Amino acid sequence: MGKIIALANQKGGVGKTTTTINLAASLATLEKSVLVVDADPQANASSGLGVNIQEVESSIYECIINKTDVRDAIYTTDIEGLDIIPSHIDLVGAEIEMLNMTDRERIMKKVLEPVRDEYDYILIDCSPSLGLITVNSLTAADSVIIPVQCEYFALEGISKLLNTIRIIKQKLNPQLEIEGFLLTMFDSRLRLANQIYDEVKRHFQELVFKTVIQRNVKLSEAPSHGIPVILYDAESAGAKNHLALAREIILKNK
């Protein structure tokens, strides 16, 4: 049975989408079958994996709102074993359209149920908000990865996210666990980055991934080419970091 992992943090710019794309590609490189679900209206994970948003006929929006068959919304990518359900700008209005739906917090869970057994991992890239789509993603997930940017306000807002996770655990998804806190954009030369690392480690201890994602130019360049960093420059720190993260997750879930 596939494991569903949501990547969430309502703070923007912490590396959620970058992590989703590159972790998915690394897991696929390690011969796992992976499905990325782009649940962010900005659709950056979709374009970062080479999907032409203009040509998409069925996206996660159609699955949620029009009950389109999830298999019609699955697209292949340049990496063998890695598929994606793309997003669409229409997803912005989906939360309002969902308000009158029955069991509205569990729609994503129902959408993914039919294909869950077909993948080893399903990664959901959440939008930088704690709205109804993110609640749906966390309700559908087995666990959540929380990317934390190594900068001054890193821990700001995490308590809000943890509170949301706690409420979802109580009311909607008792199985939801924290897969781990992932430190992103880490620059070991900066004293601040090291302080944040120590602080996050002190707060969350065993829940912090051993792997740290370093600041890396190749990592920032790859999405503009519509490919993960492992295809763009396999020798870069960004590619190596994400492979290490993928191995850590596989080991943890054995």
Side-chain angles (χ1 to χ4, degrees):
M1 194 177 199
K3 180 163 195 179
I4 302 179
I5 304 176
L7 287 94
N9 189 334
Q10 76 277 22
K11 205 169 167 345
V14 297
K16 266 192 311 292
T17 301
T18 303
T19 304
T20 305
I21 292 171
N22 292 297
L23 172 58
S26 299
L27 285 166
T29 305
L30 296 170
E31 299 185 341
K32 300 292 177 188
S33 54
V34 187
L35 175 67
V36 168
V37 180
D38 190 350
D40 183 350
Q42 293 174 62
N44 292 338
S46 306
S47 53
L49 283 172
V51 175
N52 184 339
I53 314 297
Q54 268 64 51
E55 290 174 5
V56 165
E57 286 176 20
S58 288
S59 67
I60 192 67
Y61 172 82
E62 280 75 23
C63 296
I64 289 172
I65 301 300
N66 305 333
K67 307 277 190 284
T68 297
D69 184 342
V70 64
R71 286 188 177 82
D72 293 339
I74 294 176
Y75 292 73
T76 55
T77 70
D78 288 341
I79 290 190
E80 196 182 336
L82 174 53
D83 295 342
I84 182 167
I85 299 177
S87 183
H88 194 277
I89 191 66
D90 288 350
L91 203 58
V92 169
E95 305 209 339
I96 293 163
E97 296 179 70
M98 289 162 79
L99 287 176
N100 296 325
M101 293 183 172
T102 50
D103 217 7
R104 60 187 182 205
E105 296 87 1
R106 292 189 175 85
I107 297 169
M108 177 88 78
K109 188 180 171 76
K110 287 173 188 156
V111 165
L112 296 178
E113 210 54 59
V115 292
R116 183 179 181 139
D117 292 343
E118 293 169 24
Y119 294 93
D120 295 314
Y121 291 96
I122 296 177
L123 303 184
I124 308 176
D125 185 28
C126 298
S127 68
S129 78
L130 292 177
L132 192 50
I133 300 278
T134 300
V135 167
N136 260 270
S137 303
L138 293 170
T139 304
D142 299 304
S143 66
V144 53
I145 290 174
I146 302 167
V148 180
Q149 188 182 355
C150 289
E151 47 106 287
Y152 188 64
F153 293 114
L155 293 176
E156 203 177 71
I158 281 192
S159 57
K160 206 176 219 172
L161 175 62
L162 292 176
N163 195 36
T164 303
I165 290 170
R166 202 177 67 244
I167 292 166
I168 287 170
K169 233 175 126 74
Q170 281 170 358
K171 303 202 153 99
L172 295 163
N173 182 4
Q175 274 74 49
L176 185 64
E177 298 294 337
I178 292 175
E179 189 74 28
F181 289 85
L182 176 69
L183 286 144
T184 62
M185 305 178 202
F186 182 77
D187 187 340
S188 57
R189 295 166 304 181
L190 301 178
R191 191 193 305 161
L192 177 67
N194 289 295
Q195 283 172 345
I196 299 227
Y197 178 83
D198 293 340
E199 198 177 337
V200 173
K201 199 84 179 127
R202 195 176 66 245
H203 268 277
F204 303 112
Q205 295 160 356
E206 295 307 305
L207 286 175
V208 182
F209 284 110
K210 290 185 181 72
T211 306
V212 170
I213 309 297
Q214 293 160 290
R215 266 197 190 282
N216 180 243
V217 176
K218 302 287 186 198
L219 200 51
S220 337
E221 289 173 355
S224 63
H225 298 272
I227 51 174
V229 71
I230 202 159
L231 290 186
Y232 184 61
D233 183 353
E235 289 304 307
S236 65
K240 288 174 177 168
N241 291 165
H242 284 94
L243 265 173
L245 176 64
R247 287 195 181 98
E248 195 175 336
I249 286 171
I250 290 168
L251 210 60
K252 199 175 172 185
N253 290 298
K254 268 193 170 165

